[in-house]
Amino acid sequence: MTQAALHPMLNVAIKAARTAGAIINRASLDLDILKINTKSPNDFVTEVDQAAEQAIIETLLQAYPDHGILAEESGREHGAKHSEFQWIIDPLDGTTNFIHGLPFYCVSVALAHRGVVQQAVVYDPTRNDLFYATRGRGAFLNDKRIRVSKRTRMSDALIGTGFPFRRGDNFKRYLKMFEEVSQQVAGVRRPGAAALDLCYVAAGHYDGFFETGLNPWDVAAGSLIITEAGGLVGNFTGEPDFLHQREIVAGTPRIYGPLVQILAPYSRVISQDELDADAAAAETPADKPAPRKKAAAEGEAPKKRGPVRIKKSDDSAEA
C-alpha cells in the first residue's frame, strides 16, 4: 500500500503523528530544561506530552471537526463527544523512557468507528519508523508489508511485557504471571512503551505480548496493526473485548493460545457498570487508574479455571 493509496483518514493520522514526533525529537535534544509533572507516583507527564497532544488534536480536528477525541492527557474535552468516529491518542507512550533519554517511545493515533478501530498509526520518532494499518488492508512498516513471526513453539518464543508501576497495582500477582510465562519461553523483554511493543509483535520481533493496567490509548492502534499482520489479540481469557479491560494478550496464532492458557486464571474482566464509570472518568483528564473489581489479596494465587475457549473475532482474522 503506497503512500498515495492510503485511506484519507489514515493520511491525516500519519500527518498528526509525524507532527507530534517532530516536537518530541526537538525536545529530546535538551532534556535538562524539560518541565516534568507527576500525575501519580511513577506516572509522569511533561510539557512535551501536552504539546504533542495539542498538535495531534489540532491536525485531526482541522480535517474532521465533527469527530470525537479520547486523549491521554485531556480525556474527552476536545471534539464532538457523541460522534460515531473517535480518535484515540497517546501523544508520547513511554514518557519515563523519554525523560531518561532512553530511545524507546512513540506516538500512537487510532480512529475507531462505533467502537471498532479502523485506522492505526504508531510512530517511533527516534528511528523514524512508521507502523500503520487500515482495517482489511494489511499492516505496514515504512511502506513495507509486515507479518507476525512464524514461530509455533513457546520454547522458541520471545515475549514482550510491561511491569505494573502505579500505586495500588498488585505486583505480586504480576510476578506470578511473569514466573509462569518466563519458565515456558525463550525470553521476556520489557522496554516500556506498550504501543511500540504491540507493533514489534506485528513485525515479528516478538512472538507475543501481555500486560495489565493499560488504557485504550495504549493499545488501540497497536492492536489493529497486530491483527492486520496476521496475529491475534484479546483479553486474558481470549475474548476480543480488551480495549477497555485493562488487560491484553497478543501473539502469533500458535503462541497466542498457550499464552491465554497461562494468563486466563489471572483475568479480571471489568463489569459494564465499571466500564460506564470509566467512561465518565474519561470526561476529565485521565490522571487516575480506572476502577477495578475488588482485587484479590496481595499475592493470592488465582482460582484455576477450566479449559479456555479461544474466540477468534472478525478483528482477529489473519490479514
Side-chain angles (χ1 to χ4, degrees):
M1 188 160 58
T2 63
Q3 202 76 11
L6 297 183
H7 191 286
M9 291 181 180
L10 183 63
N11 266 324
V12 172
I14 290 172
K15 178 183 176 182
R18 286 195 181 278
T19 301
I23 292 170
I24 293 165
N25 275 343
R26 283 196 298 272
S28 71
L29 301 175
D30 215 347
L31 291 173
D32 290 342
I33 64 170
L34 196 65
K35 293 179 182 176
I36 303 169
N37 296 311
T38 303
K39 292 193 283 187
S40 60
N42 301 329
D43 198 1
F44 305 103
V45 60
T46 71
E47 56 191 337
V48 179
D49 295 71
Q50 293 162 337
E53 181 169 294
Q54 188 59 38
I56 293 170
I57 290 170
E58 287 176 1
T59 301
L60 298 177
L61 291 184
Q62 183 177 13
Y64 301 105
D66 296 330
H67 285 192
I69 301 283
L70 175 60
E72 177 171 14
E73 307 308 335
S74 54
R76 286 194 177 96
E77 63 186 48
H78 299 282
K81 292 182 181 178
H82 302 295
S83 172
E84 290 185 349
F85 290 93
Q86 183 180 60
W87 294 94
I88 306 173
I89 301 162
D90 192 337
L92 178 52
D93 186 22
T95 300
T96 303
N97 286 348
F98 173 76
I99 291 167
H100 289 83
L102 182 64
F104 195 88
Y105 44 82
C106 65
V107 181
S108 178
V109 180
L111 175 64
H113 180 248
R114 296 181 179 178
V116 179
V117 177
Q118 300 291 336
Q119 311 290 340
V121 175
V122 174
Y123 180 53
D124 175 351
T126 67
R127 296 169 184 80
N128 195 26
D129 276 347
L130 185 75
F131 298 88
Y132 58 91
T134 292
R135 179 168 294 278
R137 298 186 66 181
F140 295 81
L141 166 58
N142 300 330
D143 298 329
K144 182 179 179 181
R145 183 76 180 261
I146 55 175
R147 301 285 297 182
V148 295
S149 82
K150 293 181 170 61
R151 290 187 187 87
T152 60
R153 296 190 304 178
M154 284 286 279
S155 58
D156 296 331
L158 183 64
I159 306 297
T161 189
F163 304 146
F165 61 91
R166 296 182 182 90
R167 181 174 292 169
D169 286 341
N170 191 330
F171 196 71
K172 289 183 180 178
R173 191 175 182 87
Y174 173 80
L175 287 178
K176 290 181 179 296
M177 286 186 266
F178 181 89
E179 181 180 19
E180 285 200 50
V181 172
S182 63
Q183 289 178 348
Q184 296 192 38
V185 300
V188 181
R189 301 289 182 267
R190 196 278 189 192
L196 201 49
D197 284 327
L198 291 170
C199 290
Y200 277 22
V201 174
H205 304 325
Y206 297 150
D207 306 297
F209 175 82
F210 72 98
E211 189 167 350
T212 61
L214 295 176
N215 291 296
W217 47 81
D218 297 310
V219 300
S223 64
L224 178 62
I225 292 169
I226 284 179
T227 57
E228 287 298 317
L232 299 174
V233 60
N235 61 30
F236 281 3
T237 60
E239 305 291 324
D241 174 23
F242 63 88
L243 193 59
H244 298 276
Q245 291 292 349
R246 299 179 65 78
E247 62 182 43
I248 188 170
V249 57
T252 74
R254 295 287 293 275
I255 298 299
Y256 178 80
L259 274 178
V260 167
Q261 293 288 351
I262 295 171
L263 298 170
Y266 300 93
S267 178
R268 297 178 187 168
V269 173
I270 304 173
S271 69
Q272 187 58 50
D273 288 345
E274 289 172 311
L275 287 175
D276 291 343
D278 237 2
E283 297 295 337
T284 56
D287 57 358
K288 296 180 181 179
R292 295 306 324 241
K293 282 186 175 179
K294 186 177 180 181
E298 194 74 14
E300 177 184 318
K303 294 179 180 178
K304 291 294 180 182
R305 302 182 181 183
V308 177
R309 182 164 58 95
I310 309 300
K311 290 187 70 174
K312 187 169 180 178
S313 72
D314 292 341
D315 299 359
S316 302
E318 288 198 36

